[in-house]
Amino acid sequence: MSEVLESYALGSWFTPADGGEPLADANTGETVARVSQNGPDVSAMVDYARSVGGPAIRALTFHQRANLLKSLAQHLTGYKDEFYALSHRTGATRRDSAVDIDGGFGTLFGFSSKGRRELPNSTVILDGPLERLSRGGTFVGQHVYTSRPGVAVQINAFNFPVWGMLEKLAPAFLAGLPSIVKPAAQTAYLTEAVVRRTIESGILPEGSLQLLVAGHRGLLDDLGPQDIVGFTGSAATGALLRGHPNVVGGGTQLNVEADSLNCSVLGPDVTAEDPEFDLYIKQVVTEMTVKAGQKCTAIRRVIVPEAMADTVVEALRARLDKVVVGAADHPDTRMGALVSLAQRDEVRKAVETLRTSCALVYGDPDRVEVVGADAESGAFLSPILLRAEPGAREPHEVEAFGPVSTVITYGAVAEAVELAARGRGSLVGSLVTHDPDVAREVVLGVAPWHGRILVLDRDDAGESTGHGSPLPALVHGGPGRAGGGEELGGVRGVKHHMQRTAIQGSPDMLTAVTGHWTTGSRRTTGDVHPFRKNLAELRIGDTIESAERAVTRADIDHFAEFTGDTFYAHTDEEAAAANPLFGGIVAHGYLVVSLAAGLFVDPAPGPVLANFGVDHLRFLTPVKEDAVIKVTLTAKQITPRTNAEYGEVRWDAVVTDQDGEAVATYDVLTLVAKGDEEA
């Protein structure tokens, strides 16, 4: 890594002409690298992303993009030791580094898996069922998600230089958007190292990732209505970005994750002898000390029953006494340094403000013993525990972004809910209780103010990922003070970067546009059974119209006896006749589906390898004895699997009776071998 950090723009590395300003090792104060405010042409970076990166990504299907994310995660994992060594210089211990680095790689893996399992192997996502807009069915509607011809700009905070970048990159890339990454200066050397290894790998298409290691002035000036800005940082900076003309009137989408006074509530049912008490104490101390409390999800407000306050404080003191503060790479260190001396000064100022209405019950903001380093040269700070006076305002308004938490007491459960809400919007809250009634009252009360809520007790503790860990599958963000944004959330995070559009037209036109067979579209029947066709031969709309089959009373009786399903509607004539829905003996719904399979299945060995599911099964009309059924089966969606010799075919199945009325509808899912063209 060069002494002056470089940006990656327009397909090459850019070195600033000036020497920049030093970035200090959080442990020693030594210079790690230098960062300049003079960067490459931002306007050209935006244009390059749109004209080079965007088209290259959008030429790939969702599955192809997902596989590239997996390859990238695997590649970067090979450089973990290099990244860990740099992470230590930010003040992060090995445990802290795992949260950032391994957490970032895990997010890539997570979105790769989501993309391959939940998205089609195409470039369009259907949203919801077909909307029938006319009596005859010739005019229909379908909501779809399509990729934007824009760019995703991410402006990140200092505390997660790896995860903070990758958790934004993964969903944007899956959605078809190239990214421009603007890391916070304090830890930009770690972000630069990860980007450098990414670019060297050649895994991502050129232009899909650019890095701006400089000030973000002018970064939003060339953005428009197809572009998205993802910001993580202070509420003050978030407000400045919200006021940018392109956000206010130009249609640029802004997603903000800002300050968050997260809380953890101890349920009134928990005593010092309960396992939940130890879980609560351990969780609070963990969230105070991981990343030295420099987490947007850390617990700032410790909300406990008034009768338990002294017990909680003493237990927290005892556990905090075991926390060894020191150099990030020292084997005895449990909590490392803050990211910089300036950040330590900011936390000390916030603590002083909090102390206007809170008593200091653990730690010393001005003094701490450390191992493996000098306490003053490094940005070290003692864990700080405060206890709020009744009615204190500051704990609900001031965030000390470090190892600082405040104990706040409540009487009734309703007061705990009110105290949690006084944070005016948080990323995450947690509740430790073993009482389901308490859980329901608290969760439903605080949910409008939180993006995520963890309910922790003895039953889920063994597998819980904890209060402060955002997960790729769950949304990350929060209302109000927390910024009002939303990230991650699995496929939700992908769709957030895309445009949802309602398409209206004939069924044939919607099939052509979406690549997904639409009810009412033309069907293609021929001499070859569709089950005899491999993926290279099969086409959307290929159909089999089966022969007819009578459903006899003997069939119904045999099915009831064979399966043990002797529900009265199938076996008791008098009771079935009195049922207003049936008016007599009717066939089992699953009997109808089984008979339908017998009508459309081709029994000989062939390209169809397996039936792996049925989706959206609905029984629409009762089938009485001696009814005559047939089935129409149509190839609805064809999804080749990457790195496999087969793919998935979704079939539209409609079972009708002798009057032509649909009695059952569902999707049949099969695995079908690829042909030579698809292998």
Side-chain angles (χ1 to χ4, degrees), residues 66-374:
N67 280 313
L68 291 182
L69 291 179
K70 180 180 179 181
S71 296
L72 178 60
Q74 291 171 330
H75 175 77
L76 293 176
T77 299
Y79 294 94
K80 274 175 56 172
D81 289 345
E82 173 187 326
F83 301 147
Y84 267 61
L86 288 173
S87 181
H88 288 330
R89 307 199 73 174
T90 72
T93 65
R94 187 163 188 82
R95 178 180 65 167
D96 300 338
S97 299
V99 174
D100 183 29
I101 297 169
D102 296 74
F105 301 163
T107 299
L108 290 180
F109 280 121
F111 271 96
S112 173
S113 177
K114 285 283 185 180
R116 287 177 283 121
R117 290 188 292 108
E118 299 181 24
L119 294 177
N121 196 11
S122 68
T123 58
V124 178
I125 303 174
L126 300 191
D127 179 46
L130 187 73
E131 299 290 346
R132 185 165 174 163
L133 305 176
S134 66
R135 180 174 297 179
T138 62
F139 185 56
V140 293
Q142 176 69 61
H143 290 90
V144 300
Y145 281 98
T146 57
S147 297
R148 303 171 185 261
V151 58
V153 172
Q154 49 171 282
I155 303 172
N156 294 326
F158 66 80
N159 53 338
F160 287 100
V162 180
W163 177 85
M165 172 178 65
L166 298 181
E167 64 96 8
K168 292 182 175 69
L169 173 69
F173 185 81
L174 269 181
L177 281 176
S179 292
I180 296 175
V181 177
K182 168 61 185 77
Q186 298 98 314
T187 54
Y189 50 87
L190 178 51
T191 307
E192 190 222 48
V194 175
V195 172
R196 191 173 292 276
R197 291 302 186 184
T198 299
I199 299 302
E200 289 174 355
S201 74
I203 292 171
L204 301 185
E206 176 53 45
S208 57
L209 173 61
Q210 297 181 84
L211 176 69
L212 178 64
V213 183
H216 59 72
R217 185 182 302 277
L219 186 53
L220 274 62
D221 291 351
D222 292 287
L223 303 185
Q226 294 297 324
D227 305 314
I228 296 177
V229 178
F231 168 73
T232 300
S234 70
T237 304
L240 289 175
L241 295 176
R242 283 195 173 98
H244 192 282
N246 286 342
V247 174
V248 174
T252 299
Q253 184 174 321
L254 175 65
N255 190 84
V256 174
E257 181 208 316
D259 305 344
S260 184
L261 288 167
N262 310 294
C263 69
S264 184
V265 178
L266 181 65
D269 57 298
V270 179
T271 68
E273 289 72 36
D274 291 325
E276 283 73 23
F277 182 81
D278 290 335
L279 292 173
Y280 187 81
I281 298 302
K282 181 179 179 180
Q283 175 176 266
V284 170
V285 172
T286 296
E287 293 303 319
M288 288 179 68
T289 56
V290 170
K291 297 286 286 186
Q294 298 168 117
K295 291 172 56 184
C296 55
T297 54
I299 295 171
R300 308 298 179 195
R301 298 178 297 153
V302 181
I303 302 177
V304 302
E306 187 173 347
M308 289 291 293
D310 290 341
T311 304
V312 167
V313 168
E314 288 306 313
L316 289 174
R317 281 174 171 165
R319 195 168 189 91
L320 288 169
D321 271 339
K322 300 176 182 178
V323 175
V324 177
V325 179
D329 56 356
H330 193 282
D332 295 335
T333 296
R334 292 277 304 278
M335 188 181 89
L338 274 69
V339 72
S340 67
L341 294 175
Q343 180 61 23
R344 183 175 67 179
D345 290 342
E346 288 297 318
V347 175
R348 284 172 170 171
K349 290 177 183 177
V351 170
E352 284 305 305
T353 302
L354 288 168
R355 292 180 70 179
T356 60
S357 62
C358 304
L360 181 67
V361 294
Y362 186 88
D364 184 341
D366 300 315
R367 182 181 177 278
V368 60
E369 293 185 6
V370 303
V371 296
D374 179 74

Side-chain angles (χ1 to χ4, degrees), residues 366-428:
D366 300 315
R367 182 181 177 278
V368 60
E369 293 185 6
V370 303
V371 296
D374 179 74
E376 289 306 312
S377 299
F380 297 101
L381 184 70
S382 163
I384 301 295
L385 184 66
L386 303 163
R387 181 167 177 174
E389 299 172 357
R393 175 174 53 85
E394 284 76 13
H396 307 289
E397 297 180 357
V398 177
E399 181 180 20
F401 202 72
V404 182
S405 291
T406 303
V407 176
I408 306 168
T409 61
Y410 72 89
V413 172
E415 185 182 357
V417 171
E418 188 274 332
L419 288 169
R422 287 184 64 183
R424 295 185 293 112
S426 300
L427 296 171
V428 56

Side-chain angles (χ1 to χ4, degrees), residues 311-660:
T311 304
V312 167
V313 168
E314 288 306 313
L316 289 174
R317 281 174 171 165
R319 195 168 189 91
L320 288 169
D321 271 339
K322 300 176 182 178
V323 175
V324 177
V325 179
D329 56 356
H330 193 282
D332 295 335
T333 296
R334 292 277 304 278
M335 188 181 89
L338 274 69
V339 72
S340 67
L341 294 175
Q343 180 61 23
R344 183 175 67 179
D345 290 342
E346 288 297 318
V347 175
R348 284 172 170 171
K349 290 177 183 177
V351 170
E352 284 305 305
T353 302
L354 288 168
R355 292 180 70 179
T356 60
S357 62
C358 304
L360 181 67
V361 294
Y362 186 88
D364 184 341
D366 300 315
R367 182 181 177 278
V368 60
E369 293 185 6
V370 303
V371 296
D374 179 74
E376 289 306 312
S377 299
F380 297 101
L381 184 70
S382 163
I384 301 295
L385 184 66
L386 303 163
R387 181 167 177 174
E389 299 172 357
R393 175 174 53 85
E394 284 76 13
H396 307 289
E397 297 180 357
V398 177
E399 181 180 20
F401 202 72
V404 182
S405 291
T406 303
V407 176
I408 306 168
T409 61
Y410 72 89
V413 172
E415 185 182 357
V417 171
E418 188 274 332
L419 288 169
R422 287 184 64 183
R424 295 185 293 112
S426 300
L427 296 171
V428 56
S430 60
L431 167 67
V432 180
T433 181
H434 197 53
D435 186 327
D437 293 331
V438 170
R440 178 177 173 82
E441 183 177 355
V442 173
V443 169
L444 296 185
V446 305
W449 296 98
H450 292 77
R452 176 169 60 88
I453 300 171
L454 164 67
V455 182
L456 184 65
D457 69 356
R458 67 194 72 176
D459 295 333
D460 66 355
E463 295 184 315
S464 171
T465 51
H467 169 103
S469 299
L471 298 173
L474 301 181
V475 295
H476 176 58
R481 181 191 181 104
E486 186 175 292
E487 298 173 332
L488 301 176
V491 171
R492 295 174 186 84
V494 178
K495 293 177 179 178
H496 172 76
H497 291 82
M498 304 180 76
Q499 177 61 46
R500 181 165 56 185
T501 305
I503 310 296
Q504 296 170 281
S506 69
D508 284 335
M509 286 300 182
L510 263 63
T511 294
V513 169
T514 64
H516 189 285
W517 187 82
T518 303
T519 301
S521 292
R522 292 186 183 90
R523 293 183 169 96
T524 302
T525 57
D527 297 333
V528 179
H529 192 298
F531 279 23
R532 308 309 306 164
K533 298 180 179 181
N534 58 39
L535 286 194
E537 300 165 331
L538 191 65
R539 297 291 181 268
I540 295 294
D542 282 357
T543 299
I544 176 177
E545 295 180 350
S546 78
E548 295 181 338
R549 171 46 152 107
V551 183
T552 67
R553 179 62 181 272
D555 292 330
I556 299 171
D557 291 343
H558 173 70
F559 194 83
E561 180 181 1
F562 182 71
T563 64
D565 181 356
T566 55
F567 183 63
Y568 74 86
H570 314 306
T571 57
D572 187 327
E573 292 190 9
E574 183 178 351
N579 186 312
L581 297 177
F582 302 136
I585 293 290
V586 295
H588 307 70
Y590 297 115
L591 169 60
V592 173
V593 172
S594 299
L595 294 176
L599 291 172
F600 67 69
V601 166
D602 185 299
V608 175
L609 305 176
N611 177 334
F612 72 96
V614 170
D615 279 352
H616 313 306
L617 174 61
R618 292 292 183 271
F619 301 120
L620 305 176
T621 303
V623 176
K624 297 188 176 181
E625 59 181 292
D626 297 325
V628 178
I629 64 170
K630 66 178 182 178
V631 61
T632 301
L633 191 76
T634 304
K636 188 174 187 177
Q637 184 179 19
I638 301 173
T639 305
R641 286 190 179 180
T642 307
N643 302 323
E645 296 183 356
Y646 57 87
E648 303 169 12
V649 179
R650 179 178 291 269
W651 306 82
D652 179 81
V654 180
V655 184
T656 54
D657 62 15
Q658 66 279 358
D659 299 321

